[in-house]
Amino acid sequence: MTSTERSAADVLAGTDCEQVVVVRDRRSGAVAVVAVHDTTAGPAHGGIRRWAYPALGDAVADAVALAQAMTWKCALAELPAGGGKAVLLDAPGLDRRAAYRLVGRTVAQLGGTFFTGPDVNTTADDLRVVAAETRFVAIGDDPAEGPGDLAQATAVGVFAAQQALAAHLGIDLDGATVCVQGTGAVGARLCGLLAEAGARLVVADVLPERAAAVAAVHGARQVATERIAREPCDLFAPCALGGVVTEAIARELPARGVCGAANNVLANAAAGRVLHARGVPCVPDFVANAGALIQGASWHLFGERTGLARLQRIGVTARELLVRAAAEDVPPGELALAVARDRLARLRAVCETGKP
Ligand code: NAI
């Protein structure tokens, strides 16, 4: 998440997105941005985020960065899909229904180039509003409806990646301390899986009642949000927003490994290098949190739900990456990005030349 104002034109000049659409609803004044990063492998997939951005440029920057991360996520999950993202500019007095209708109309106009679903602050009810305008949306809160519980799919994938990370570090999750930052849809479900595995949980949320609810159910210790990245632990699991691991935090994070659901969790590549230099492996978010994408895309593209085994394969990918990153002495995020870019480049070459 960005904090400084920047111009949309600057962001657009620096992106290789196929399309960035900025739309405004005349009646309500709601504004949304849809970024389609790459459709070489297949239609773009990405959820809808609603956030109070300081300026349009920040919203465009977030949409573009998140869409790009979705492309890498698809490539690493070997899905015939690409990356996209929709963001809605939240503001006091926003007509929420009109805003989600606007996104729905925009997705409909993209005609199947972009499939969407949940992301931060977008509820199943919001998605039902979108679904009234377009069929290219997964609602995903009801086991009987659409692709199923997408947040649960994400939590299952993150948990599989954490198991891989723990094995890589020689940690037994039973008795390990895991700090979970953000106990929303994914964080709360992840806490359930970790508690079942015997982990000791430390939780924090800017909405303290959410962390308190998880603490009550799973016997977790609740701490203030500013403490969660300072608590000594085995694994740090960021499940709130992106950009939380800055270089400064990476230098001091008292965790043996990092693996969570939040997109773009490293503030920059330098933060990943600091962690790597300290011997603290970080499973790339676009590997760990691919569960919802895998489940949503399988539903959209093939009309089927993914089974647990497909989601748990995220753990295999994570383990392979961690082993290779350690052997090659590179941060896992940089390695994963290189693998994803290479897969995409090869696919683009096939599309351009018609030769494998
Ligand atoms: P959510 O909105 O349900 O939960 C996020 C939680 O983080 C909220 O409870 C919020 O109060 C809390 N939070 C916000 N800022 C915080 C801070 N500074 N410190 C502590 N808590 C804070 O969102 P959801 O769906 O659980 O997603 C969490 C993260 O995972 C997001 O970054 C999202 O992009 C990513 N993600 C989610 C997927 C899904 O299936 N829902 C799929 C892939 C990634």
Side-chain angles (χ1 to χ4, degrees):
M1 197 62 52
T2 54
S3 58
T4 52
E5 292 192 9
R6 59 177 94 170
S7 99
D10 285 350
V11 177
L12 291 176
T15 176
D16 65 342
C17 276
E18 285 176 14
Q19 290 190 71
V20 179
V21 184
V22 179
V23 284
R24 180 177 179 279
D25 180 50
R26 183 183 283 163
R27 200 169 294 169
S28 66
V31 175
V33 181
V34 177
V36 173
H37 177 249
D38 196 286
T39 57
T40 309
H45 283 68
I48 305 167
R49 177 169 294 194
R50 182 166 49 82
W51 195 255
Y53 294 96
L56 177 64
D58 295 286
V60 174
D62 208 27
V64 161
L66 291 164
Q68 192 172 50
M70 290 300 285
T71 298
W72 310 140
K73 206 185 289 191
C74 290
L76 284 163
E78 301 189 67
L79 286 168
K85 201 79 183 183
V87 305
L88 254 177
L89 282 76
D90 208 352
L94 176 79
D95 180 340
R96 195 155 154 176
R97 282 188 72 79
Y100 281 95
R101 271 203 306 270
L102 171 70
V103 175
R105 286 199 303 277
T106 311
V107 173
Q109 281 159 8
L110 287 167
T113 309
F114 174 57
F115 288 88
T116 198
D119 192 49
V120 174
N121 287 331
T122 293
T123 64
D125 285 340
D126 296 324
L127 292 172
R128 287 189 187 95
V129 175
V130 176
E133 306 287 336
T134 179
R135 64 191 169 90
F136 303 123
V137 58
I139 295 177
D141 69 331
D142 180 346
E145 187 182 24
D149 184 339
L150 294 175
Q152 181 65 20
T154 302
V156 168
V158 172
F159 180 64
Q162 290 182 337
Q163 286 175 309
L165 176 59
H168 182 73
L169 291 167
I171 295 170
D172 188 347
L173 272 183
D174 189 358
T177 301
V178 182
C179 282
V180 180
Q181 179 186 48
T183 49
V186 179
R189 287 163 170 82
L190 178 65
C191 284
L193 297 168
L194 283 164
E196 234 171 77
R200 286 174 226 249
L201 296 170
V202 183
V203 293
D205 197 295
V206 281
L207 298 176
E209 64 280 10
R210 288 196 176 169
V214 166
V217 175
H218 301 300
R221 183 161 62 86
Q222 182 177 0
V223 297
T225 48
E226 59 277 14
R227 287 284 327 152
I228 194 76
R230 298 205 171 92
E231 289 288 324
C233 61
D234 293 294
L235 303 184
F236 176 58
C239 297
L241 297 174
V244 290
V245 180
T246 58
E247 280 177 76
I249 291 198
R251 268 193 288 277
E252 299 195 345
L253 189 74
R256 294 176 62 191
V258 178
C259 179
N263 280 310
N264 298 334
V265 69
L266 296 174
N268 50 37
R273 281 184 219 123
V274 171
L275 284 178
H276 178 70
R278 287 185 54 217
V280 179
C282 173
V283 178
D285 42 73
F286 53 94
V287 173
N289 70 15
L293 170 68
I294 292 170
Q295 187 136 321
S298 303
W299 179 259
H300 282 136
L301 298 170
F302 313 119
E304 65 188 35
R305 287 194 184 170
T306 39
L308 200 59
R310 177 69 181 89
L311 297 173
Q312 285 171 337
R313 254 177 37 213
I314 288 173
V316 177
T317 306
R319 188 72 199 265
E320 284 170 1
L321 263 175
L322 290 169
V323 168
R324 205 178 134 192
E328 296 179 15
D329 194 16
V330 288
E334 289 185 19
L335 176 64
L337 206 55
V339 171
R341 286 200 163 115
D342 182 55
R343 281 188 189 158
L344 194 62
R346 277 188 282 138
L347 202 59
R348 280 181 179 155
V350 171
C351 291
E352 277 160 24
T353 62
K355 289 187 201 135

